[in-house]
Amino acid sequence: MSEYRAGTGWDVHRLVPGRPLILGGVTVPFELGLEGHSDADVLAHAVTDAILGAAALGDIGQHFPPSDARWKGADSLIFLKHALELARAAGFELVNIDSTIILERPKLKDYRERIRQSLAGATGMELTSVSVKFKTAEGVGPVGEGKSAEARAVVMLRRG
Ligand code: C5P
Ligand code: MG
């Protein structure tokens, strides 16, 4: 009998000048980028937390404290891969990822396949099990005003 576990993740980062916009490991050309201690990949962080959540293994900040100099400018796919290793060590395998990036600008739809491939590559998943969706915030609130980007993720883990 398999045991299934759902997990959710959410993250937000400010949009600032002089930083790259990295989403799911893919650099998207834009005049602003995400501010943070690591590479501030808001999507990778949400997916990482979803995996840790499904396995009840804490959260990203517990495993990768922003105070730790090792993670300055870090490629956040490292966090994602580590979370998956922890989940696998606990006997879980990843079934699927569904995610949404909420960002007013730029349009991301032309990057969907590259971002899906990047997440599939980082997790060893089939492309068909990795979903990435995009929404604006319809001009409302900090995301709508272009001050920040959010990401949400849901994953399913299976054990046994
Ligand atoms: O937010 P809204 O419903 O207007 O988004 C419509 C579509 O625009 C989305 O389904 C998505 O395909 C695309 N989109 C995008 N990049 C964004 C936001 C939305 O490609 N930053
Ligand atoms: Mg983050």
Side-chain angles (χ1 to χ4, degrees):
M1 224 355 216
S2 297
E3 179 191 5
Y4 287 87
R5 301 276 203 99
T8 75
W10 172 87
D11 198 19
V12 61
H13 283 267
R14 287 174 189 269
L15 277 166
V16 295
R19 292 270 301 181
L21 177 60
I22 300 175
L23 297 168
V26 174
T27 302
V28 175
F30 190 50
E31 69 252 31
L32 305 174
L34 296 174
E35 182 179 55
H37 184 66
S38 66
D39 67 1
D41 185 334
V42 69
L43 177 60
H45 294 179
V47 175
T48 300
D49 256 358
I51 292 168
L52 291 172
L57 288 169
D59 63 29
I60 191 170
Q62 180 188 334
H63 296 280
F64 302 99
S67 55
D68 190 328
R70 271 183 302 171
W71 312 128
K72 189 164 164 45
D75 173 356
S76 294
L77 293 182
I78 290 170
F79 305 159
L80 176 50
K81 288 177 189 168
H82 182 69
L84 194 52
E85 279 167 20
L86 293 175
R88 285 183 174 140
F92 291 106
E93 62 175 308
L94 187 54
V95 176
N96 76 304
I97 298 170
D98 185 20
S99 64
T100 305
I101 298 171
I102 307 110
L103 181 64
E104 209 66 12
R105 277 189 326 120
K107 280 286 179 225
L108 295 170
K109 58 183 167 43
D110 292 345
Y111 295 89
R112 191 190 319 271
E113 294 318 308
R114 260 175 277 177
I115 295 172
R116 288 177 72 206
Q117 275 163 10
S118 173
L119 292 179
T123 55
M125 303 271 289
E126 298 280 339
L127 203 54
T128 51
S129 302
V130 178
S131 156
V132 182
K133 311 189 299 302
F134 311 117
K135 294 297 287 182
T136 69
E138 298 286 347
V140 179
V143 176
E145 289 162 10
K147 293 177 181 162
S148 54
E150 289 186 9
R152 295 167 194 271
V154 173
V155 305
M156 185 69 72
L157 299 183
R158 178 175 54 221
R159 177 157 64 180

